[in-house]
Amino acid sequence: MRPAAADQWRSVAEHHSKTEESVIFPGHAVVGAYLRAFRRDRKLRLTDAARTIGASAARVCRMELGTSESKPDAVHALLKSYGLYCPRCLKTINELLAPPAARDRFVDTQPGCHTRLRACEQDANRLRYFSSYLIPPAFRTHSYTTALRASDALSAHLPWSTHHSAELATEVVGPDTPTRRYGTHLWLPTTGLTTREATLILDASVLRRTVVPPGVLAEQLRALRDAAHRGRLTLRVLPLTAGASGYPGALTEITRRSTRLYVQPAARCFHYSASGSTATSAEWCFTNSENEALSAEGSLAAIEEAAIQLAQLAERDAAASWFS
């Protein structure tokens, strides 16, 4: 996005955060992040988008923030002006804009659910991740992602394992490239997270999970270590001795302006919650996990130790393969 366009959005967003009540419609907030990702990808200003629907720039900003209810016709007009012509995507958008998505809990489905989640992550002020299975997509190296797609052991480490391996890889890893089946679409990268405040809590079992080759996992862990050293990421490792302190699977907390959403992956969809018992349980998971996790220094030491051991295992495997 051009600097002037970014400044325009920021100034309008700050104005509304100060002058309006913090009324958030969670489903609309997800759609809003999606709209903003499209607009930024097309290098358009708020005023450019506003002309498309005959509204003010402030109105478009509120739609992107999720602080006002977005009308399906206006959202469709914006998405089509950005180049989205996928009827199934537009149908899914309608479901996100309708109750109960406008309130506290909703489900986002394919096509487009991975990209909408990425849009929320890219536009977040704060992110917290917990995983007891795999490295979350936002932090994966290219080698790790590629190895996951080819992994025969993927289904053995997931809470759902009834799908075809190719479908399972798409659900867990995310779509690879645009397909004609879903039409014109926006595909955000699964790496390069720009959020300033990000915390990743990993169950210790993830450091040695044999879903990918040991050399690939060693490279992945060192990439996480380097990101932590650069100050872009806070790493915490939940030791096995902590017992059931974490969450059985993967969980993401997205704080975007005054919106806080908890996201759980499932087969072909993501479950979102903003309040209620599900959100309370998710918040407890993060609080308890951080309390039970190793310190930041201890976590980095555990990751380095695991990376060294995995690299040694990869060397032994390579040597055994060479002599066999």
Side-chain angles (χ1 to χ4, degrees):
M1 185 191 299
R2 297 188 297 268
D7 292 341
Q8 179 193 30
W9 191 90
R10 191 177 302 110
S11 63
V12 174
E14 290 175 353
H15 171 74
H16 286 291
S17 66
K18 295 176 181 178
T19 58
E20 294 189 355
E21 294 183 2
S22 179
V23 179
I24 299 297
F25 305 90
H28 294 252
V30 172
V31 173
Y34 192 53
L35 288 172
R36 185 169 188 244
F38 260 108
R39 181 173 61 78
R40 294 178 67 186
D41 183 70
R42 304 308 191 253
K43 296 180 173 56
L44 299 173
R45 297 166 60 94
L46 282 171
T47 50
D48 298 327
R51 280 194 292 270
T52 300
I53 59 174
S56 65
R59 168 62 177 162
V60 175
C61 182
R62 289 195 297 270
M63 292 173 64
E64 293 183 356
L65 287 171
T67 55
S68 68
E69 294 190 71
S70 301
K71 303 299 183 184
D73 290 347
V75 172
H76 289 190
L78 286 173
L79 289 175
K80 288 180 179 178
S81 72
Y82 299 154
L84 177 67
Y85 300 103
C86 172
R88 288 186 59 194
C89 286
L90 296 179
K91 180 180 178 181
T92 303
I93 292 293
N94 287 345
E95 295 172 355
L96 291 176
L97 296 177
R103 296 197 289 269
D104 299 329
R105 298 176 60 186
F106 58 96
V107 177
D108 190 9
T109 61
Q110 291 183 350
C113 59
H114 291 89
T115 301
R116 283 185 286 276
L117 175 59
R118 289 296 295 156
C120 291
E121 291 175 331
Q122 293 282 17
D123 200 40
N125 303 98
R126 180 191 184 201
L127 289 167
R128 289 198 293 179
Y129 295 84
F130 176 84
S131 178
S132 61
Y133 289 100
L134 304 171
I135 304 297
F139 305 102
R140 291 173 186 167
T141 63
H142 176 74
S143 297
Y144 187 90
T145 300
T146 301
L148 275 183
R149 293 186 186 281
S151 176
D152 294 328
L154 187 60
S155 61
H157 297 278
L158 296 171
W160 62 92
S161 58
T162 58
H163 301 288
H164 186 272
S165 57
E167 295 180 353
L168 186 62
T170 298
E171 291 164 11
V172 177
V173 183
D176 189 12
T177 56
T179 62
R180 292 184 179 180
R181 177 184 176 188
Y182 292 153
T184 303
H185 198 45
L186 172 69
W187 300 90
L188 296 176
T190 56
T191 55
L193 198 64
T194 58
T195 303
R196 293 181 180 179
E197 186 178 351
T199 299
L200 172 59
I201 307 170
L202 292 175
D203 187 278
S205 62
V206 179
L207 307 184
R208 291 175 173 81
R209 196 172 297 283
T210 56
V211 178
V212 298
V216 173
L217 184 53
E219 176 191 348
Q220 171 68 74
L221 295 180
R222 284 172 174 156
L224 292 176
R225 176 204 61 191
D226 294 343
H229 283 318
R230 291 194 299 268
R232 297 184 57 194
L233 173 66
T234 299
L235 277 173
R236 304 292 300 277
V237 173
L238 186 66
L240 298 178
T241 55
S245 299
Y247 186 83
L251 187 64
T252 302
E253 179 191 79
I254 300 172
T255 302
R256 180 176 182 256
R257 281 46 181 199
S258 53
T259 310
R260 179 172 295 174
L261 295 173
Y262 294 97
V263 190
Q264 301 166 258
R268 302 186 180 183
C269 66
F270 292 104
H271 292 265
Y272 288 77
S273 59
S275 61
S277 59
T278 303
T280 300
S281 297
E283 185 174 3
W284 174 89
C285 164
F286 281 110
T287 300
N288 199 48
S289 297
E290 288 191 320
N291 289 339
E292 297 290 335
L294 300 175
S295 66
E297 295 78 9
S299 296
L300 284 174
I303 286 174
E304 180 64 25
E305 178 185 2
I308 292 173
Q309 293 175 354
L310 288 164
Q312 293 172 344
L313 179 59
E315 290 177 0
R316 288 198 297 270
D317 290 347
S321 176
W322 188 84
F323 283 110
S324 61

